[in-house]
Amino acid sequence: MAQAGLSNLPPLEERPRPRNVSREEALQLEGHRHACHVMLYAPTTAKLFERVPIRYIVLMMMRFDGRLGFPGGFVDTRDSSLEEGLNRELQEELGSSFDTLAVTEKDYRSSQAREFPQKGVTHFFTKELTLEEIETIEKEAVFAKDHGLEVMGLVRVPLFTLRDGIGGLPAFLSNNFIGNSKSQLLYGMRTLRLLREDQIQDAMWASQNIQF
């Protein structure tokens, strides 16, 4: 039986795919809602079980709908810049740390426009922080306005694969992600070279073959 509300949708192969656009092109689109999200990361010398190097901490968050995503949200480009709107969202979701740790235009990475099911543009930022700054954000996030409401908590992305070939990043990638946040995570890992390409490919393959 077809689910209510889905019977009128065109087949997947006929739906328009999101397309990469420049920042300038994105801001000139008419009738599109704009959303900005940021991947916060920091280098670390920590090791799991004193033998598995972690190398980088990458923050994502568990959303109110049970899906993983990056901090951020919708911004109104009519009265503020992308960065101003994003920083307001970060203050609500992550707390007072972003009174000083503001995302700037130099942290901008990419934009992707979609026409289906609603017109929208997602803008992606990455910002490198120190380990101390990351830990401060994690501590203060529980006092943020949206904690326990829109944000259930912050999570660290495991940038390693355990000996069983499943634990770590492969298992993490098998979770449910909101929108294009999974592709943004992969894009961030690649462009920032947080992992080698073969490590990413192996983790992706393993995540698609996990049997629960």
Side-chain angles (χ1 to χ4, degrees):
M1 179 181 295
Q3 296 183 33
L6 297 180
S7 58
N8 294 326
L9 295 180
L12 285 174
E13 62 272 12
E14 296 180 8
R15 300 177 192 177
R17 295 180 178 274
R19 67 186 191 281
N20 296 324
V21 294
S22 69
R23 179 190 178 105
E24 293 71 23
E25 291 173 323
L27 293 175
Q28 292 175 2
L29 292 172
E30 296 184 2
H32 287 65
R33 296 185 71 187
H34 294 260
C36 295
H37 297 88
V38 62
M39 185 175 90
L40 303 170
Y41 70 102
T44 177
T45 58
K47 292 184 179 181
L48 179 67
F49 308 133
E50 298 184 352
R51 58 178 176 79
V52 180
I54 296 175
R55 297 187 62 232
Y56 289 95
I57 295 170
V58 173
L59 293 185
M60 294 192 77
M61 66 184 191
M62 177 62 70
R63 293 162 37 94
F64 63 94
D65 55 11
R67 290 181 282 188
L68 293 168
F70 285 106
F74 286 108
V75 302
D76 189 344
T77 58
R78 295 172 298 180
D79 60 6
S80 66
S81 68
L82 296 177
E83 290 75 23
E84 289 170 337
L86 174 56
N87 284 315
R88 281 197 295 269
E89 288 291 322
L90 295 178
Q91 288 175 339
E92 292 180 358
E93 294 181 348
L94 302 181
S96 60
S97 297
F98 283 88
D99 292 339
T100 55
L101 299 177
V103 174
T104 66
E105 191 169 340
K106 71 179 180 63
D107 301 315
Y108 169 82
R109 289 293 174 265
S110 65
S111 297
Q112 194 172 60
R114 68 179 187 280
E115 307 298 324
F116 182 89
Q118 295 176 327
K119 290 184 177 181
V121 185
T122 53
H123 305 277
F124 187 52
F125 296 74
T126 62
K127 186 174 184 64
E128 182 174 0
L129 302 173
T130 65
L131 177 60
E132 291 74 18
E133 289 169 335
I134 286 283
E135 291 175 340
T136 297
I137 289 171
E138 291 175 318
K139 292 176 183 177
E140 294 185 355
V142 296
F143 303 107
K145 174 184 175 183
D146 287 344
H147 181 75
L149 299 172
E150 294 184 25
V151 180
M152 297 295 104
L154 294 177
V155 296
R156 294 187 179 189
V157 180
L159 298 187
F160 50 82
T161 300
L162 298 182
R163 289 179 178 176
D164 63 2
I166 296 175
L169 186 57
F172 187 84
L173 292 177
S174 68
N175 282 295
N176 194 0
F177 293 78
I178 184 69
N180 62 345
S181 57
K182 182 176 180 178
S183 63
Q184 289 175 334
L185 172 60
L186 296 172
Y187 172 81
M189 290 191 297
R190 286 187 169 111
T191 57
L192 298 171
R193 298 184 178 181
L194 304 187
L195 288 176
R196 299 192 313 269
E197 180 60 27
D198 64 299
Q199 293 174 315
I200 296 174
Q201 290 289 341
D202 288 346
M204 290 173 59
W205 182 88
S207 71
Q208 295 167 1
N209 290 274
I210 293 176
Q211 297 182 359
F212 296 98

